């Protein structure tokens, strides 16, 4: 052991701060949170009653389905729109730098500010209702954030507006990594633009798409600020539900809800890799 420490003392010295950071700010809090979910809030005894309590509450079940729903809706919009914008930005055209700056602008705006800004769009007196009224589609304003299914779309769209720059940058980096020689060879074979996209771009872009989906899915499952600002308690999510339980000093229920959220994220990532990506994206990215 001493010989090992002497041989790699410099490497250990460099890795020590990062290891302590991961241990102190990630591993210990996660472990503590999981343990709280299996302990009685008053006696501290190990029990499953906290989970029985949670799964018997309709609001908690709604928070699970709302979290899954907004993640699926958001990812579908973000990947489709992000890929379209990335392909456009890869082209050479006049005014490209202005378009790129406009696309990246939401990245510099704090989530709290963007949530309040989007209330001007989706609020009862917002621009969207004004537009629909002026073109004759509605006679009375729609309450987009009342807690129905449209609230999930509002949050997914608001999240998309905020994170689209990240998605575009990740996919654009993937597009830039594809060699022009591949497209030249494809054009010599007489392939159309659609065939280039279907059989060249998408397969070669799979590592970037996989990484984007996983990163965004983890963030979408943890979405917190936008629901708090746009819909409040009317549409519960797992993160906001865990926060509410913590605010009421119900630490065990908060820990259990956080653990369920963690399990959902892991299940989603594993299912995506197994059935959608089939391991090809991650292995290609090595």
């Amino acid at each position: 052991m001493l010989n090992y420490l002497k041989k790699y003392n410099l490497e250990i010295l460099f890795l020590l701060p990062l290891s302590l950071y991961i241990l102190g700010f990630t591993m210990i809090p996660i472990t503590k949170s999981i343990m709280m979910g299996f302990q009685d809030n008053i006696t501290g005894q190990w029990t499953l009653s906290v989970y029985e309590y949670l799964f018997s509450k309709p609001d908690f079940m709604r928070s699970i389905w709302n979290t899954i729903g907004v993640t699926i809706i958001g990812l579908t919009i973000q990947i489709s729109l992000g890929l379209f914008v990335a392909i456009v930005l890869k082209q050479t055209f006049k005014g490209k730098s202005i378009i790129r700056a406009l696309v990246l602008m939401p990245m510099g705006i704090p989530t709290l500010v963007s949530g309040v800004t989007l209330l001007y769009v989706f609020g009862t007196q917002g621009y969207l209702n004004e537009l629909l009224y002026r073109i004759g589609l509605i006679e009375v304003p729609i309450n987009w954030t009342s807690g129905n299914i449209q609230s999930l779309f509002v949050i997914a769209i608001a999240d998309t507006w905020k994170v689209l720059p990240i998605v575009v940058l990740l996919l654009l980096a993937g597009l830039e990594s594809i060699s022009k020689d591949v497209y030249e060879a494809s054009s010599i074979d007489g392939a159309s633009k659609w065939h280039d996209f279907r059989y060249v771009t998408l397969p070669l872009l799979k590592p970037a798409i996989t990484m984007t989906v996983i990163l965004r899915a983890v963030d979408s499952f943890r979405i917190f600020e936008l629901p708090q600002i746009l819909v409040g308690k009317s549409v519960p999510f797992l993160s906001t539900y865990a926060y509410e339980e913590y605010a009421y000093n119900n630490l065990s229920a908060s820990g259990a809800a956080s653990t369920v959220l963690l399990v959902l994220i892991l299940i989603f990532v594993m299912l995506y890799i197994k059935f959608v990506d089939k391991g090809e994206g991650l292995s290609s990215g090595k």
Side-chain angles (χ1 to χ4, degrees):
M1 185 67 180
L2 288 176
N3 290 334
Y4 180 85
L5 292 175
K6 288 179 181 177
K7 183 177 180 181
Y8 297 104
N9 56 2
L10 186 60
E11 289 85 348
I12 293 172
L13 185 64
F14 283 138
L15 287 174
L16 191 58
L18 179 61
S19 302
L20 290 176
Y21 175 81
I22 293 174
L23 184 66
F25 289 93
T26 303
M27 299 308 296
I28 291 178
I30 289 176
T31 306
K32 180 65 178 174
S33 180
I34 294 172
M35 288 173 61
M36 283 195 309
F38 291 97
Q39 288 180 309
D40 186 273
N41 201 34
I42 300 173
T43 64
Q45 291 182 333
W46 297 98
T47 177
L48 291 175
S49 62
V50 181
Y51 286 93
E52 293 174 358
Y53 159 78
L54 280 181
F55 282 98
S56 67
K57 296 190 70 175
D59 271 0
F60 179 71
M61 297 306 297
R62 281 181 60 207
S63 73
I64 293 178
W65 293 117
N66 287 339
T67 304
I68 295 173
V70 84
T71 299
I72 293 173
I73 296 170
L75 278 180
T76 304
I77 299 173
Q78 289 159 24
I79 297 300
S80 305
L81 187 59
L83 184 57
F84 172 76
V85 175
I87 290 174
V88 170
L89 289 179
K90 192 174 183 298
Q91 312 304 316
T92 302
F93 58 90
K94 193 175 182 180
K96 178 179 175 179
S97 57
I98 297 174
I99 299 296
R100 180 174 291 197
L102 288 175
V103 170
L104 298 180
M105 189 173 63
M107 195 166 60
I109 299 175
T111 306
L112 184 65
V113 177
S114 65
V116 174
T117 303
L118 288 166
L119 279 176
Y120 288 104
V121 179
F122 296 109
T124 309
Q125 305 297 324
Y127 302 136
L128 183 57
N129 276 332
E130 180 71 17
L131 175 65
L132 295 177
Y133 176 76
R134 287 185 181 278
I135 60 178
L137 290 179
I138 61 172
E139 294 184 355
V140 293
I142 299 173
N143 191 351
W144 297 100
T145 58
S146 62
N148 296 322
I149 185 69
Q150 70 262 22
S151 295
L152 295 185
F153 282 92
V154 167
I155 295 170
I157 292 170
D159 189 43
T160 298
W161 184 82
K162 172 65 184 164
V163 304
L164 189 62
I166 302 293
V167 175
V168 171
L169 286 177
L170 288 169
L171 295 178
L172 189 57
L175 286 173
E176 297 288 358
S177 68
I178 300 175
S179 171
K180 292 180 180 178
D181 295 342
V182 181
Y183 291 106
E184 289 174 1
S186 177
S187 65
I188 291 172
D189 292 337
S192 63
K193 292 289 184 184
W194 168 248
H195 281 85
D196 277 350
F197 176 75
R198 173 68 180 82
Y199 298 107
V200 177
T201 303
L202 279 184
L204 295 178
L205 198 60
K206 206 164 186 176
I209 293 175
T210 297
M211 193 55 63
T212 306
V213 168
I214 292 174
L215 289 175
R216 283 300 313 135
V218 172
D219 259 355
S220 291
F221 274 112
R222 298 182 307 172
I223 193 168
F224 179 78
E225 295 96 334
L226 288 174
Q228 285 287 82
I229 298 168
L230 292 171
V231 296
K233 295 181 181 178
S234 61
V235 185
F237 289 83
L238 270 172
S239 57
T240 58
Y241 188 91
Y243 171 76
E244 292 295 335
E245 292 288 356
Y246 185 85
Y248 287 117
N249 205 31
N250 196 353
L251 303 184
S252 297
S254 177
S258 302
T259 304
V260 172
L261 177 59
L262 176 65
V263 171
L264 274 181
I265 292 172
L266 294 176
I267 290 175
F268 177 86
V269 172
M270 287 191 291
L271 287 177
Y272 178 82
I273 292 174
K274 182 173 178 59
F275 294 107
V276 180
D277 179 75
K278 296 178 181 176
E280 296 174 8
L282 291 180
S283 60
S284 303
K286 288 182 179 178

